[in-house]
Amino acid sequence: MTVAHDVFAETNPAFCAYALTGFTAAYVSIKDAGPELPLGYVALPIALSGDLAGTFDGTNRKTGLLEWLNRSPQVQVGLAERINASMPVVTEAVRFACFARVLAVEADGRIRVGSQKLKKSAIDGLGEGPARALKHAERLGYWFAMAGSTRTTFDMMGLTV
């Protein structure tokens, strides 16, 4: 049997909103203020990227961003282009998440977990790839929070605004 990889399903606003909410919840568990919105634009394309999935092997929430980047320098190759190409997908995810009230964007540009809670049963039927993407988004949330500021995270990743 041939298993098809459904890229459309993994880039739909609901799935991406779920991943972004996991990222935000993990971030907030370390830093109460919540991530600045630009961090979501970095985390989501990395977490959803199948070609980077293997770079998360052997890591956990304590690994840290700098250690992960040192182990997997290929993450930074073409990262700016990857982020730019995924901007419409992330924007739709943010809009959907805010509309569904699972996330909110504050006046200072920080993302916070919204008043509605996600149902854990929504991910029970996911295949291995999408489920891993959600775990990767959460892991990036921990790592980005531990890295310090948004500027520090961008600097570590070789990104400029």
Side-chain angles (χ1 to χ4, degrees), residues 2-138:
T2 303
V3 177
H5 184 74
D6 190 352
V7 174
F8 179 74
E10 291 180 25
T11 58
N12 78 61
F15 178 76
C16 292
Y18 203 106
L20 196 55
T21 301
F23 164 79
T24 302
Y27 189 101
V28 169
S29 74
I30 304 292
K31 288 176 83 174
D32 289 335
E36 292 181 3
L37 185 57
L39 289 178
Y41 280 88
V42 175
L44 204 54
I46 293 171
L48 296 177
S49 177
D51 64 323
L52 296 179
T55 66
F56 288 90
D57 294 345
T59 66
N60 60 44
R61 64 183 278 186
K62 301 281 187 190
T63 300
L65 181 62
L66 192 55
E67 176 66 25
W68 176 63
L69 291 170
N70 284 334
R71 290 182 191 175
S72 306
Q74 69 269 31
V75 170
Q76 294 172 293
V77 176
L79 183 59
E81 292 82 12
R82 182 185 306 265
I83 292 167
N84 286 331
S86 68
M87 287 184 81
V89 172
V90 179
T91 299
E92 287 303 312
V94 171
R95 286 180 181 153
F96 184 90
C98 290
F99 179 75
R101 289 182 274 153
V102 294
L103 290 179
V105 179
E106 299 292 327
D108 64 354
R110 293 192 177 273
I111 309 169
R112 70 170 173 80
V113 177
S115 60
Q116 297 295 314
K117 301 297 178 213
L118 293 173
K119 295 181 181 181
K120 297 292 181 188
S121 62
I123 62 168
D124 289 344
L126 290 178
E128 182 183 335
R132 283 178 45 177
L134 296 177
K135 287 180 184 176
H136 296 163
E138 288 178 5

